[in-house]
Amino acid sequence: MLIASLLPLLGGALIPALRFKSRKGRTAWVEGVTILTSLLVLRLILRGTEEVTLIAFSRAYRLSFGLDGMGRVFLGLMAFLWPLAALYASEYMQHEEREDSFFAFYTMTFGVMILYCCARNMFTLYVLFECITLITLPLVWHKKDAASIRAARAYIRYSIGCAAFAFAALIVVSQYASGDFQLGGLDLSGMPKDLMCAAFLACFFGFGVKAAVFPLSAWLPRACAAPTPVTALLHAVAVVNAGVYAVLRMVYNVFGAALQGTWAQTVALIFSILTILFGAVMAVRERHVKRKLAYSTVSNLGYMLLGASIMTPAGQVGSLMHMVCHGLMKITLFFCIGAVMVQTGRTQTRQMQGLARRMPLVFAAFTVAAIALMGIPPLCGFISKYYLATAALEMGKLWGVAGVAALLISSVLTAIYSLSVALPAFFMPLDEAAGPELPKRCDPGLRMLVPLGLLLCAVLLLGACSQPLADALRAIAGM
């Protein structure tokens, strides 16, 4: 585990010092480091690891690492996506400055995320949560223009500011229980119920800020000022899922079933539903395609938070299933839009008209991923929404029905904002006035197309063969 995390940390840190003479040399180095790291992670997932304690400040405050089922799911998703994202970025970043700095932080982030997935207690999770903010901040402000600086300020203000609530909850919880995460939660029987509810909500909003929980989601669309590889991987998969992952840990491994039926669960359900609807509505209104996808991410993160807030094993299965499915679908969509922006310079919805004739491969991938995101069977988006809706209905309560209604409404809105990009690209004439004259074929090179093709295959394969993953998730949830 430590080797798997140290490899990208050291490999990324060495990039500026190595002073590569060509982009090919740096690409080979970055891709080699990420692929080797992913192979080590795969071995770690299959064989497991013993718990390692690096520092023990006290019984309650220990930096301890290990790997359980939930960590394996998140870690496996990142291990699959990171080499593809690095390959995509090697072509995309030719159009940007300070490439060495970008790839250094991009690679080191992989190492921090590995440690985060392996956190074995609340203290370690919190420390790594803050480390994620610090290691990804330079990626958000990479362009160093006014928009990037504003985005970075919002990102750090929201992330560190709201995480103070999680820190307060950590202090409170440590007074009543200590130890590693446990399926079913820690023994908090001595904690007053209202104090437990307050501590959970502090965690829900403190960690949930990275999951863009309403109304703490303003930083995510602003982060689209970063290069698309950052937006695609870190702000559609790794960073935002880190927030969901932390909330899942709090629900199922810290507080447990004691929260079911409390006012804290009701508050969490309400704000999860609001996040779903707010993100979907804003995605329909947004005209900048990259920001449109960012608001779509907000909505889909609300799905995962809804699954966590149900606080049943079925809810955990639905949340983890959507984490995997959404990660594959959304990174595909971001990669497509990034290719359009690089190849044509077009960023607005109306500027997508007719582009499918010039970029058929990119828009074919975009359309399939968009249909999957809508939840159309048999693609993977339908599978995860089915598990979430089933878990919500099994609650047998009003807020469960409201959650299902939110899923249905957001699916309709997803169709509206997704097809507003895809359909004009195929069925309307090219808007010649939207930018410079384009060549007959604008599809990007293989370093962009190969990751897109592999991701599209994964979206289709997961939709067709989701049962093994579902069975594994049920076992993790103790079903």
Side-chain angles (χ1 to χ4, degrees), residues 159-220:
S159 296
I160 293 183
C162 292
F165 291 104
F167 179 74
L170 167 65
I171 300 299
V172 171
V173 170
S174 65
Q175 303 303 308
Y176 293 89
S178 61
D180 293 342
F181 294 131
Q182 299 290 332
L183 184 62
L186 303 178
D187 183 10
L188 297 173
S189 55
M191 181 183 289
K193 183 68 74 172
D194 285 340
L195 180 60
M196 184 188 299
C197 291
F200 166 72
L201 288 178
C203 290
F204 182 81
F205 289 103
F207 288 124
V209 65
K210 273 194 170 60
V213 62
F214 179 85
L216 306 175
S217 55
W219 68 270
L220 185 58

Side-chain angles (χ1 to χ4, degrees), residues 258-277:
L259 288 170
Q260 289 183 351
T262 64
W263 58 270
Q265 183 186 26
T266 301
V267 172
L269 285 167
I270 290 172
F271 279 91
S272 298
I273 292 170
L274 288 175
T275 304
I276 293 171
L277 298 176

Side-chain angles (χ1 to χ4, degrees), residues 1 49-54 59-60 62-72 114-126 128 178-183 186 245 249-250 253-254:
M1 175 188 61
T49 181
E50 295 182 0
E51 183 175 326
V52 176
T53 299
L54 293 184
R59 183 181 177 185
R62 296 176 296 112
L63 286 176
S64 297
F65 301 92
L67 192 61
D68 62 5
M70 199 186 303
R72 282 182 168 90
I114 292 171
L115 291 174
Y116 182 77
C117 292
C118 296
R120 287 298 299 132
N121 55 56
M122 191 175 176
F123 175 71
T124 308
L125 188 79
Y126 175 80
L128 270 299
S178 61
D180 293 342
F181 294 131
Q182 299 290 332
L183 184 62
L186 303 178
Y245 180 77
R249 285 292 192 190
M250 295 304 105
N253 298 143
V254 175

Side-chain angles (χ1 to χ4, degrees), residues 17 33 104 235 308 314 336 348 390:
V33 168
H235 296 286
C336 290
Q348 303 298 312
T390 301

